[in-house]
Amino acid sequence: MAANTSSIKIEHNKNQNNSVVVEMEHLKKSFGNNHVLHDINLVIHKGENLVILGKSGTGKSVLIKCIVGLIDLDEGKLVILGQNISELNDKELIEIRKKIGFLFQSAALYDSMTVRENLEFPLRRQMNPVPKETIDSLVKEALQNVGLADAIDMKPSELSGGMRKRLGLARTLILKPEIMLYDEPTTGLDPITSKEICSLILQVQEIYNTSSIIITHDIECAKLIANRIIVMVDGKCAAEGSYADLENSSDTLVRSFFE
Amino acid sequence: MDKMISRSNQREVRGIENNTKQFSETIPDSVFKKFFLEVYSLTIFTLRFFKEVIKPPYEFNEVIKQSFIIGYKSLSLVGITGFIIGLVLTIQSRPTLVKFGAVSLLPAMVAVSIIREIGPAITALIFAGKVGSGIGAELASMNVTEQIDAMSVSGTNPFKYLVVTRVFSATLMLPLLVVFADTIGLLGSFVGINLKDKVSAYLFFSQVFQSLGFNDLFPAFIKTFFFGFAIGLIGSYKGYNSNKGTEGVGKAANSAVVFGSLMVFIIDMIAVQITSLFQS
């Protein structure tokens, strides 16, 4: 996973095909009187990088938490990999979750565990009994992919912000998910580290043909990684298109995100 | 509808919040509302514990790890406290017994006091301070940093992995710590007696064992399981349902100690009433 960003950018549009992996119809979610999501309709294709832009508090994070089942929907239909999420029982939901990776904004690393243990945790929980050698090799491979092989015995508290994000990504990717959800992957990082994270997102798409939803405020990142962009305003999809389309949108509010 | 509620409860999305919200809408605003909501959500949390504790898969490794952290790492604190309590109780009681010419009853009196009440109660209070607050702060911190959500997303049931294991370990470890504290407390008493008098270990412990019966040992031992359960459960409940933000972590740790300690006294009071029914 050491190819440079620009070469991947040229290649990564080829990965998409027309099979739908996530389908949302009329999604609604409220917290008390606060209506966070209004009638969201969205489709994500296999191998596609979908970037969601929007001001803070417009329901972007709630949307991806609904996808992974952390928040229950009030209304609407959400189909993931052909299965309607609201009709799944506990076991079926866990099976679906195994196919979805979620990179939290804070990386959500387990503080009490070392880097190695953070990576071993999902493997031990999800896979049938696996020989220690297999787990070791998967952990080492995942760390090499994100350039953290030397940090294997460190605690998360000893890592920098960028390293924590990369470790969070490695922990998510170790189960080879079909869908990746990124919640502000570059927030709080310097421009160089942000580019590294963007590069990793593209590499994930390239190598695993993963479909991704990326929530970000980082326009440079969006420009680099997006196949398609959605702008959310007040819990609704206000605009949809490629970076070039939206950059030249006639809607001043949409255009303001790109200025 | 039933299916939806049942599925919601099964999910690791802390469905308590949804249930509490529905319940809260059914009762009018009043000064007692907060109290009843708290009792309601704690009851749901407790029922969920019993549901999850019997349902496989069982987290044996995590129970052993937590038992080590909760039990073994509390040994020194509990031991030192037990020794000091035994020593101080003996030194403080001696002058009164001397007045009545009953100093020879000192080992028996101290033993009954320590075994029946002081050992379990003081150890439980220390346990609430150390373990209850630790569980509350740790789970609240995991909640704030989205680690609990990360566990759910990775296909792990965080309630089973984090809450059930900690409550189970606390329930098992506190009785063992009380036995340890009682033993060290009696040693402290033996040292305390020998500061003023000359009593052999054989004589001291003969008097101790002669003074203790089944009615002293059994109820005192049984109630410690309830102490441990209450402390573990309240610590987990406060941490797992903490508010987001660092303030939530502090509040969770603080209220875990306060309510845990209060529950120790309430359970103790009930235990004494039940025991006295059988003794009379």
Side-chain angles (χ1 to χ4, degrees):
Chain A
M1 280 177 73
N4 79 41
T5 309
S6 54
S7 65
I8 291 164
K9 177 70 182 169
I10 295 161
E11 292 280 322
H12 83 288
N13 288 331
K14 293 177 186 172
N15 291 326
Q16 296 172 65
N17 60 44
N18 286 329
S19 65
V20 173
V21 289
V22 179
E23 193 177 356
M24 304 174 197
E25 283 180 22
H26 310 295
L27 294 196
K28 287 182 185 171
K29 178 68 194 174
S30 302
F31 297 99
N33 294 325
N34 182 17
H35 304 291
V36 181
L37 299 179
H38 300 268
D39 200 26
I40 299 277
N41 295 287
L42 203 58
V43 163
I44 296 138
H45 298 98
K46 179 76 182 159
E48 180 184 28
N49 273 355
L50 173 75
V51 168
I52 301 180
L53 295 174
K55 288 199 289 187
S56 299
T58 49
K60 305 183 298 293
S61 295
V62 170
L63 182 66
I64 60 168
K65 284 184 177 176
C66 286
I67 292 173
V68 82
L70 283 173
I71 295 176
D72 284 336
L73 290 167
D74 292 342
E75 281 178 49
K77 187 177 159 193
L78 175 56
V79 179
I80 310 230
L81 299 168
Q83 297 195 66
N84 190 336
I85 284 289
S86 38
E87 288 172 359
L88 300 181
N89 64 27
D90 193 33
K91 266 191 175 173
E92 291 164 338
L93 186 70
I94 287 175
E95 287 306 310
I96 276 286
R97 279 176 171 171
K98 287 180 186 176
K99 296 171 184 169
I100 304 174
F102 195 121
L103 180 64
F104 288 84
Q105 193 176 342
S106 60
L109 302 174
Y110 306 127
D111 294 335
S112 57
M113 301 179 192
T114 62
V115 168
R116 180 200 297 272
E117 288 164 345
N118 262 281
L119 293 176
E120 284 178 353
F121 186 82
L123 287 173
R124 291 189 191 282
R125 312 295 305 175
Q126 298 236 354
M127 296 168 85
N128 295 324
V130 182
K132 196 177 177 306
E133 296 75 33
T134 310
I135 289 181
D136 279 347
S137 71
L138 285 170
V139 166
K140 280 179 186 159
E141 183 194 333
L143 285 175
Q144 274 164 3
N145 284 344
V146 296
L148 284 177
D150 295 337
I152 191 161
D153 292 318
M154 291 167 103
K155 284 275 179 101
S157 57
E158 297 172 78
L159 304 178
S160 68
M163 289 165 89
R164 290 172 68 89
K165 280 271 163 72
R166 281 188 279 157
L167 176 58
L169 190 57
R171 189 180 66 184
T172 309
L173 292 175
I174 203 162
L175 293 170
K176 306 210 171 19
E178 292 179 40
I179 301 167
M180 272 298 299
L181 309 173
Y182 300 89
D183 192 358
E184 301 192 23
T186 58
T187 298
L189 301 178
D190 62 86
I192 296 167
T193 314
S194 291
K195 269 195 175 165
E196 283 175 14
I197 297 291
C198 291
S199 172
L200 280 172
I201 292 172
L202 287 174
Q203 287 167 7
V204 167
Q205 184 196 28
E206 177 72 15
I207 293 167
Y208 302 112
N209 196 23
T210 309
S211 313
S212 303
I213 300 178
I214 304 115
I215 290 174
T216 186
H217 297 291
D218 184 343
I219 292 298
E220 283 304 311
C221 172
K223 188 177 183 179
L224 198 63
I225 62 180
N227 299 122
R228 186 158 55 108
I229 296 177
I230 280 176
V231 178
M232 274 183 75
V233 178
D234 296 331
K236 291 178 187 169
C237 295
E240 181 180 345
S242 67
Y243 184 90
D245 296 339
L246 298 178
E247 194 181 22
N248 301 313
S249 169
S250 56
D251 186 330
T252 49
L253 181 65
V254 171
R255 217 172 46 239
S256 67
F257 282 99
F258 299 85
E259 287 169 357
Chain B
M1 182 66 183
D2 284 344
K3 191 188 172 191
M4 288 295 283
I5 290 169
S6 151
R7 188 170 54 75
S8 173
N9 282 339
Q10 284 173 357
R11 284 185 179 184
E12 293 71 61
V13 289
R14 281 149 295 151
I16 292 164
E17 286 167 17
N18 296 334
N19 294 332
T20 308
K21 198 179 131 200
Q22 285 167 11
F23 180 70
S24 109
E25 285 163 1
T26 63
I27 56 171
D29 278 327
S30 74
V31 286
F32 298 110
K33 184 174 177 178
K34 201 178 166 192
F35 172 76
F36 283 119
L37 285 176
E38 193 76 3
V39 171
Y40 176 78
S41 58
L42 181 59
T43 307
I44 299 285
F45 193 83
T46 310
L47 291 175
R48 189 174 173 194
F49 167 81
F50 285 113
K51 188 180 137 197
E52 299 279 4
V53 79
I54 55 172
K55 200 172 73 177
Y58 306 109
E59 304 283 356
F60 289 118
N61 291 340
E62 189 61 15
V63 168
I64 291 167
K65 184 183 164 192
Q66 288 303 322
S67 297
F68 176 80
I69 294 167
I70 289 172
Y72 179 76
K73 292 200 170 176
S74 303
L75 274 178
S76 54
L77 180 65
V78 164
I80 291 166
T81 316
F83 184 84
I84 293 169
I85 286 168
L87 183 78
V88 170
L89 186 64
T90 306
I91 293 170
Q92 297 272 38
S93 306
R94 191 177 178 282
T96 313
L97 290 180
V98 167
K99 264 189 203 169
F100 294 100
V103 74
S104 62
L105 293 175
L106 192 55
M109 194 216 77
V110 171
V112 170
S113 305
I114 287 178
I115 300 292
R116 271 193 176 189
E117 188 54 45
I118 295 173
I122 298 286
T123 308
L125 290 176
I126 291 167
F127 195 77
K130 184 179 184 291
V131 174
S133 66
I135 291 173
E138 186 187 11
L139 295 191
S141 164
M142 290 183 79
N143 198 7
V144 168
T145 54
E146 297 179 305
Q147 291 176 51
I148 293 180
D149 284 345
M151 252 179 214
S152 298
V153 169
S154 70
T156 300
N157 179 345
F159 192 93
K160 195 178 238 321
Y161 188 79
L162 299 171
V163 175
V164 172
T165 53
R166 280 162 176 76
V167 177
F168 195 72
S169 300
T171 310
L172 288 182
M173 287 299 109
L174 183 59
L176 297 179
L177 287 171
V178 168
V179 170
F180 178 71
D182 287 352
T183 309
I184 301 288
L186 292 174
L187 283 174
S189 174
F190 173 68
V191 171
I193 284 178
N194 278 284
L195 290 176
K196 292 279 169 100
D197 304 307
K198 267 272 183 237
V199 178
S200 70
Y202 177 78
L203 181 61
F204 176 83
F205 284 104
S206 299
Q207 286 199 5
V208 165
F209 289 119
Q210 277 170 16
S211 65
L212 294 172
F214 180 78
N215 284 344
D216 301 307
L217 295 169
F218 186 70
F221 185 65
I222 293 299
K223 72 181 176 186
T224 57
F225 285 96
F226 291 93
F227 290 167
F229 175 75
I231 292 165
L233 191 81
I234 289 170
S236 300
Y237 169 74
K238 290 291 179 187
Y240 201 76
N241 294 300
S242 66
N243 295 327
K244 297 278 181 188
T246 48
E247 190 191 6
V249 178
K251 273 188 180 172
N254 182 271
S255 49
V257 179
V258 172
F259 290 108
S261 305
L262 185 64
M263 279 307 292
V264 166
F265 287 115
I266 291 170
I267 292 168
D268 201 21
M269 186 180 70
I270 295 167
V272 166
Q273 295 297 322
I274 293 171
T275 309
S276 64
L277 281 177
F278 289 100
Q279 283 174 341
S280 59

